[in-house]
Amino acid sequence: MLRYVWIVIGILMIGIGAVGILLPGVPTTVFVLVAVWAFTKGNPEWAARLETHPVFGPLIEDWRRHRAIPLSAKIMAVSMMATSLLALFLWSPLPFYGIVFIGIVMGLVAAWILCCPTARPSDRSAASDHRS
């Protein structure tokens, strides 16, 4: 039964990560890393497919080897979170305290991303330059 819980978590994380490709402010990288972790526990075959994916594979490898995030992914994630927070502030019907809460969460995520080591281009394959 627990195996299916891990699979559901992995599928949800891939789904949220896919949304992150389309919507600014939703980081794809974090959700892909959580998905491969969950799939490793629930369905190693699916984890292997993510690990060999031309876009996500190098990202996962960077994380596993160096606990590193590419500079381009850091810049994209933090700038998209900042843009999304500004859009929420200007156009959202949420109460101010809701926007402040979201801002705090985004700030903590941004701080964590920025504190992680930055993957050097020499640490990655050429295919990894095009990931998000």
Side-chain angles (χ1 to χ4, degrees):
M1 181 67 177
L2 189 56
R3 176 179 185 262
Y4 295 109
V5 171
W6 291 121
I7 291 171
V8 168
I9 290 170
I11 291 170
L12 286 172
M13 294 300 106
I14 287 295
I16 295 169
V19 169
I21 294 170
L22 303 173
L23 292 178
V26 180
T28 301
T29 304
V30 174
F31 293 109
V32 169
L33 292 173
V34 173
V36 78
W37 171 76
F39 285 146
T40 299
K41 295 174 177 295
N43 190 329
E45 197 173 299
W46 290 2
R49 289 185 71 176
L50 273 178
E51 291 164 349
T52 58
H53 189 276
V55 174
F56 300 126
L59 171 79
I60 294 165
E61 186 178 331
D62 277 346
W63 180 253
R64 285 188 174 157
R65 283 191 178 177
H66 310 287
R67 292 293 190 243
I69 299 173
L71 181 60
S72 60
K74 286 182 174 190
I75 292 169
M76 180 66 76
V78 173
S79 63
M80 287 292 134
M81 284 188 280
T83 302
S84 295
L85 187 60
L86 179 62
L88 278 174
F89 181 73
L90 295 175
W91 298 299
S92 175
L94 288 174
F96 183 72
Y97 63 85
I99 296 170
V100 168
F101 175 76
I102 292 169
I104 290 170
V105 171
M106 284 184 174
L108 291 171
V109 171
W112 179 80
I113 288 170
L114 294 173
C115 287
C116 286
T118 301
R120 297 178 310 237
S122 62
D123 293 340
R124 299 177 282 157
S125 67
S128 66
D129 291 338
H130 302 291
R131 62 180 173 231
S132 62

